[in-house]
Amino acid sequence: MSNEYKKDSDHVNDIDYVNDIDCVNDVDCVNDVDYMNEIDSDIANEIDNFDTDYPDSYYSFAWVYDTFMDNIPYDEWTAYLIGLLKEYGVSKGLVLDMGCGTGNVTERLAAAGYDMIGIDNSEEMLMEAREKAMENQYGILYLEQDMRSFELYGTVAAVVSICDSMNYILEKEDLKEVFRLVNNYLDPKGVFIFDFNTPYKYRELLGDRTIAESRDNCSFIWENTFDEEAEVNIYDLTIFMQEEDDIFRRYQETHYQKAWSVSDFREAAEAAGMKVMAVYDAFTHREPDPDSERLYMIVQECGK
């Protein structure tokens, strides 16, 4: 396996804080989520409320997402994904990218010859994706839809979901509904391929750590807290974006990701009538290790 495929933690710049940022005009988070400096005993209720409301957590981050994700080797990630698709007989046809974000994987799959649909519940992320698709003249259909309630006009050969989008599903019943919908819209024997962050990654590598990066015209501070009881990682994200006269405006968002296990996903897949075909340590064909950070799961349609 190429050494270009590195552990996720190799792409994380873990420093204590960003210093010397000139910031004025604090802006409240568009979702009206209070900035969380400490986690108290009411965290489970806060998570439940978030899941019910399902706000757009990528409002301000959308504009700088590609800037801060420039350390992700999307070409290699997509090549691995295409290899998995072809192993299960999907070398062409209609593919749904679920939780497509700004379309980084979607566009690469389109370039490889797949007919692409991308769905995401962030209008701002989709605006970025559509702009790139127009520039590159890809005929990608982007739809603003929730993974838990999406609708398509027909079936697709495969569904993919990359960059831990599945971890944003917080409730088990919602997870089962995602699999039910995927199964419903897959062609016979079609495949669902997705990745996810492991409980090990949240507990040992991200929890209670601060990640920060700075660019010429923007910076972010990403403070993590892992709630053991809820098995949810809370990201408090502060973004500094340069405006006129070297003034930086501050935006705040809070993101939640659930530390699902392999057995959780297997239960949801089987409840939807699907069959788990394989689980791999990311970018390999090896079985997961206790310290695996990201896993890939391949699930097949086995009848409606």
Side-chain angles (χ1 to χ4, degrees):
M1 180 57 59
S2 168
N3 59 14
E4 292 178 310
Y5 298 127
K6 300 180 180 180
K7 291 280 191 179
D8 282 1
S9 55
D10 293 341
H11 300 296
V12 172
N13 180 17
D14 183 17
I15 61 178
D16 291 334
Y17 215 74
V18 171
N19 296 317
D20 302 324
I21 295 178
D22 182 17
C23 173
V24 299
N25 292 332
D26 291 356
V27 175
D28 292 335
C29 173
V30 68
N31 297 318
D32 196 25
V33 178
D34 291 335
Y35 188 62
M36 299 165 64
N37 292 317
E38 62 183 23
I39 304 300
D40 58 24
S41 60
D42 295 329
I43 184 62
N45 291 330
E46 294 185 30
I47 292 169
D48 287 342
N49 291 336
F50 169 83
D51 190 61
T52 299
D53 297 338
Y54 208 61
D56 178 5
S57 298
Y58 278 98
Y59 179 77
S60 53
F61 195 37
W63 314 123
V64 293
Y65 181 86
D66 287 337
T67 298
F68 289 120
M69 297 297 108
D70 61 2
N71 59 354
I72 300 297
Y74 286 112
D75 289 340
E76 288 83 359
W77 284 29
T78 308
Y80 176 75
L81 176 59
I82 290 172
L84 295 178
L85 287 168
K86 290 182 175 179
E87 285 179 28
Y88 288 88
V90 185
S91 57
K92 60 181 180 179
L94 193 58
V95 174
L96 171 66
D97 187 0
M98 195 168 60
C100 62
T102 63
N104 289 311
V105 173
T106 325
E107 287 217 339
R108 285 166 171 81
L109 290 172
Y114 294 99
D115 299 317
M116 296 303 302
I117 302 172
I119 66 168
D120 202 282
N121 80 317
S122 170
E123 177 184 359
E124 289 72 27
M125 297 288 270
L126 290 175
M127 287 174 62
E128 297 289 311
R130 290 179 180 127
E131 183 176 339
K132 287 190 287 188
M134 289 180 63
E135 291 176 358
N136 297 323
Q137 297 184 332
Y138 290 126
I140 300 171
L141 175 62
Y142 284 114
L143 302 172
E144 184 180 347
Q145 296 200 44
D146 189 323
M147 293 166 61
R148 303 170 301 176
S149 58
F150 71 91
E151 297 180 356
L152 301 179
Y153 298 110
T155 58
V156 296
V159 176
V160 300
S161 186
I162 306 302
C163 297
D164 46 83
S165 294
M166 292 292 285
N167 291 107
Y168 278 95
I169 305 299
L170 301 181
E171 298 293 336
K172 183 161 288 189
E173 289 306 310
D174 288 336
L175 188 66
K176 291 179 179 179
E177 181 64 11
V178 171
F179 277 92
R180 188 192 70 79
L181 289 170
V182 168
N183 189 60
N184 182 62
Y185 287 111
L186 277 175
D187 290 341
K189 302 301 181 182
V191 290
F192 178 27
I193 302 176
F194 62 94
D195 71 355
F196 60 97
N197 287 333
T198 64
Y200 168 83
K201 181 177 180 179
Y202 289 120
R203 185 174 291 111
E204 303 298 333
L205 301 178
L206 289 180
D208 301 318
R209 295 178 69 180
T210 297
I211 300 166
E213 289 193 17
S214 182
R215 300 290 195 275
D216 290 338
N217 60 355
C218 53
S219 301
F220 79 76
I221 303 165
W222 196 305
E223 298 176 271
N224 296 273
T225 304
F226 184 68
D227 184 78
E228 285 282 354
E229 183 177 356
E231 296 183 315
V232 169
N233 199 70
I234 302 98
Y235 303 88
D236 286 322
L237 179 62
T238 304
I239 302 165
F240 299 88
M241 297 173 61
Q242 186 176 9
E243 298 185 353
E244 70 283 350
D245 300 324
D246 293 330
I247 291 175
F248 284 78
R249 188 174 296 272
R250 184 174 72 180
Y251 299 84
Q252 295 174 194
E253 299 180 356
T254 300
H255 297 236
Y256 301 84
Q257 286 193 321
K258 177 77 171 183
W260 296 111
S261 66
V262 170
S263 61
D264 290 326
F265 285 118
R266 187 182 299 276
E267 178 185 343
E270 292 176 351
M274 306 183 77
K275 181 179 180 181
V276 176
M277 306 301 291
V279 182
Y280 295 134
D281 198 353
F283 317 121
T284 76
H285 282 69
R286 298 194 304 267
E287 293 185 359
D289 296 320
D291 61 349
S292 294
E293 300 172 24
R294 182 182 298 273
L295 301 180
Y296 273 70
M297 181 173 281
I298 301 98
V299 183
Q300 190 170 55
E301 191 274 352
C302 293
K304 302 293 190 269

